[in-house]
């Protein structure tokens, strides 16, 4: 795979079902922007020569995306627990052992939902 920059600009399309796009509303654009920033940061790493300002902007976008993804996962774990999902299936979904999934689940449940978890669930109240 070549990491040399080209003059060709390719659009990246992320397919969302209509219902998903409607549920996300304006947050879909926010997430797409953060994802684009994270991808740009990886491209900067692969092409080299990025300045500190470019890298700082990429770090900001990547951090914002990671924070929201972690909150979404925590909210999903919380709801999975409410539906009495098994530790084994949770471990498989997380790509970890059953015991690790159980430990992570306990960590999520011992704290109240964060503001970003509430954002992930659409709880704006």
């Amino acid at each position: 795979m070549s990491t040399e920059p080209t003059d060709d600009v390719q659009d990246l399309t992320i397919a969302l079902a209509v219902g998903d796009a409607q549920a996300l509303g304006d947050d879909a654009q926010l997430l797409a922007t953060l994802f684009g920033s994270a991808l740009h940061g990886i491209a900067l790493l692969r092409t080299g020569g990025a300045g500190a300002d470019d890298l700082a902007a990429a770090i900001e976008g990547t951090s914002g995306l990671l924070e929201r993804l972690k909150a979404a996962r925590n909210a999903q774990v919380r709801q999975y627990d409410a539906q009495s999902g098994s530790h084994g299936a949770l471990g498989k979904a997380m790509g970890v052992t059953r015991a690790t999934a159980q430990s992570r689940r306990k960590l999520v449940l011992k704290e109240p939902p964060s503001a970003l978890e509430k954002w992930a669930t659409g709880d704006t109240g």
Side-chain angles (χ1 to χ4, degrees), residues 7-88:
D7 291 333
D8 295 335
V9 177
Q10 297 179 359
D11 287 334
L12 174 66
T13 301
I14 299 173
L16 287 176
V18 172
D20 291 346
Q22 289 172 339
L24 290 170
D26 291 340
D27 288 330
Q29 183 60 49
L30 168 67
L31 291 166
T33 299
L34 292 171
F35 184 57
S37 180
L39 290 176
H40 178 65
I42 294 169
L44 289 173
L45 294 172
R46 291 183 178 189
T47 58
D53 289 343
D54 292 330
L55 291 168
I59 291 166
E60 181 179 1
T62 301
S63 296
L65 181 62
L66 282 171
E67 290 169 4
R68 282 167 177 77
L69 291 175
K70 181 180 176 187
R73 185 197 60 206
N74 287 350
Q76 292 159 358
V77 167
R78 201 176 293 282
Q79 288 190 12
Y80 183 81
D81 179 73
Q83 295 181 19
S84 301
S86 75
H87 291 120

